[in-house]
Amino acid sequence: MEEARGRDIYFSFFMFTADLRPDDAGYTQVLVRHLKALTEIGYTGFDVHIAPGPAHVGHHGEIESYISLKRAFDQAGFRDVKFTTNVGTTRTFDPTSPYEEQRKQALSYLKSRVDITSVLGGDNTIMSGPFLYPYGIFPLTDDGEEIWSDALQDWMKPRYAAAAPIFRELAQYSAEKRVKLAIEPVKNWETPGPTMVSEALDFLESADIPVCGVTIDTAQVVMESQGPATFRKNVARAAQQSRLNYVHISAPDRGAVKDSWIPWEIMLDEIEPVYSGPYLVEVFNAIPPFESSMRMTRRRFWRPGEDAPEAGVDSAYDVARAALRTLEEKIASHRRRSHP
């Protein structure tokens, strides 16, 4: 659409996989077929999840495997296609741990993810995701009771403080590698924190980390919402501090973007004037591990070349095509409203 041209729109490979399996040459060809189809649809870049590798490989071995994967992508004709990454921390690699040695291991892990992001995306690419507090890990008392509400907020304070020097060093390293960091707040049933954009911004400000930013995800904002007024303040706050590093366009049910409950006008009216980076269309398909971790009840979008076509069910490419057209239309509509 003419009015939306000039805006990079990427597509998340969460539609297909949570693990690129960089050492699997056969699976690389599956990825290449998806890249070809999606670039033909009109996407200019892709976001890929960097899964934790086998313990025996080591971070250097992981980086080498992604160098080989990027070489395969280049040879297949995707040298100029842009890549960003999605990264999460884990119970093992926990930058908020009270134990110094574990925090050091987490820093090494996160630096390796910056390296992989640089390998795949080159200069000025983005590493986004829930990489502050470990994803999917919730604290327990000594008696095995879950910790919630005020007690959880109090429990998180020293964890954030412990992570501060780790993130200062990580941010400096990523700046040297020309990789933008974007902490993504996610829903309260995925992590105890940060679950809101304001919490991520509070951490970065209090820890004095000027070269690290945040991701704003439309689904997360709607489901973990403090309301439109706070959303407007957070977008302005992030933009004023040069921390608005990535924007994800995702339906509240994490499915098809077309005809979803995204408050387009509220969001684009705030984001478009202050954000010039790429938009990421993010659809979580009902595939492992998402079908169980997200308790998905909807049917899978069948993946051409991987799943058998199913009557009455959209293909992954159909959903991707409709999402791109929808986003382009919404951007064009915003621009017409802004410049009648």
Side-chain angles (χ1 to χ4, degrees), residues 1 17 47 52 85 92 100 122 126 155 158 230 246 252 271 288 329:
M1 182 165 291
T17 183
D47 187 73
T85 65
T92 299
E100 183 180 6
I126 305 165
W155 185 88
T230 299
Y246 213 1
I271 292 170
E329 289 169 3

Side-chain angles (χ1 to χ4, degrees), residues 181-183 185 197 200-201 204 212-216 238 243-246:
L181 297 180
I183 298 172
V197 173
L201 291 172
L204 294 171
C212 184
V214 297
T215 293
I216 290 181
R243 296 193 194 275
L244 183 52
N245 283 354
Y246 213 1

Side-chain angles (χ1 to χ4, degrees), residues 7 216-218 221 231 235-236 239 244 246-249 264-279 334:
R7 170 70 75 177
I216 290 181
D217 183 300
T218 60
V221 166
F231 172 75
V235 172
L244 183 52
Y246 213 1
V247 175
H248 292 183
I249 304 298
W264 292 104
E265 289 190 14
I266 291 174
M267 291 186 167
L268 290 181
D269 283 356
E270 301 305 315
I271 292 170
E272 270 285 292
V274 298
Y275 178 69
S276 59
Y279 285 116
H334 163 80

Side-chain angles (χ1 to χ4, degrees), residues 4 8 15 43 45 61 171 265 270 280-282 337:
D8 276 324
M15 175 66 87
Y43 286 97
E265 289 190 14
E270 301 305 315
L280 174 69
V281 171
E282 188 176 55
R337 291 197 314 275

Side-chain angles (χ1 to χ4, degrees), residues 1 16 26 30 40 49 74 82 91 95 98 103 119 126 128 132 176 188 193 211 229 257 266 276 287 292 306 320 327:
M1 182 165 291
F16 307 106
V30 174
E40 289 176 352
H49 181 246
D74 290 349
K82 300 169 185 177
R91 189 188 297 274
R103 294 197 300 273
V119 164
I126 305 165
S128 178
L132 177 46
E176 293 169 0
N188 60 3
V211 290
V257 167
I266 291 174
S276 59
I287 55 173
S292 59
E306 296 189 68
L327 179 53

Side-chain angles (χ1 to χ4, degrees), residues 4 8 13 27 46 99 171 227 230 278 291 295:
D8 276 324
F13 261 60
Y27 191 62
F46 301 95
Y99 305 108
T230 299
E291 59 186 358
R295 305 292 192 270

